[in-house]
Amino acid sequence: MEHYQALFEPDRKAGGYVVTFPDFGYGVTQGETDEEAMDMAQDLLMLTIGDYIREGKQLPAPSRRRRAKFRCVLLPALQSAKVDLYTAFLAAGLKKAEFARRIGIPKTHIERLFSLRHHSRLDQIEAALRVLGKRLHVEVRPAA
């Protein structure tokens, strides 16, 4: 998954930061500290992407911004894989019932594969990606 950038603006009256995602056009959160604001931003990103998935909408392409107030917000690995699965599913143009049939699971389980709050097994995501002609690649990098 490409990473979305959030705008972290200092809240001069209350302190802390107000965080928004301009690519989505809605949603706002805040945090008293830098770390808390980043945690809240990650949660807002998961909720916002979850809204798009539930509504069956295409995710906006992440834009690149260079100002110092913008920071990349990363999703956990499992949620990132689910976003990639959802994006590949939309690109394939399949119906959920047909996708479930090809994977060999009940149609009701497709929603779980796409849900960022459900803890799907990684092998299920890999199997679903294979049906779409994709494969999951995991990479370990040094921490920032």
Side-chain angles (χ1 to χ4, degrees), residues 74 140-144:
L74 307 174
V140 176
R141 297 180 182 174

Side-chain angles (χ1 to χ4, degrees), residues 59-92:
L59 295 172
S63 56
R64 301 288 175 232
R65 295 176 166 85
R66 299 231 181 254
R67 292 189 356 224
K69 291 182 179 180
F70 283 96
R71 301 182 198 163
C72 268
V73 177
L74 307 174
L75 291 180
L78 179 61
Q79 285 72 18
S80 186
K82 286 176 170 247
V83 170
D84 287 340
L85 173 63
Y86 174 73
T87 303
F89 166 75
L90 286 182

Side-chain angles (χ1 to χ4, degrees), residues 40-110:
M40 297 300 287
Q42 186 181 61
D43 196 48
L44 175 60
L45 181 60
M46 284 179 52
L47 290 171
T48 305
I49 290 174
D51 286 348
Y52 273 67
I53 291 172
R54 273 188 302 285
E55 294 170 12
K57 293 168 47 178
Q58 187 83 27
L59 295 172
S63 56
R64 301 288 175 232
R65 295 176 166 85
R66 299 231 181 254
R67 292 189 356 224
K69 291 182 179 180
F70 283 96
R71 301 182 198 163
C72 268
V73 177
L74 307 174
L75 291 180
L78 179 61
Q79 285 72 18
S80 186
K82 286 176 170 247
V83 170
D84 287 340
L85 173 63
Y86 174 73
T87 303
F89 166 75
L90 286 182
L94 293 173
K95 300 287 184 195
K96 289 180 181 176
E98 175 61 17
F99 188 40
R101 187 191 64 73
R102 290 183 186 187
I103 299 170
I105 63 172
K107 181 185 172 202
T108 55
H109 292 191
I110 293 295

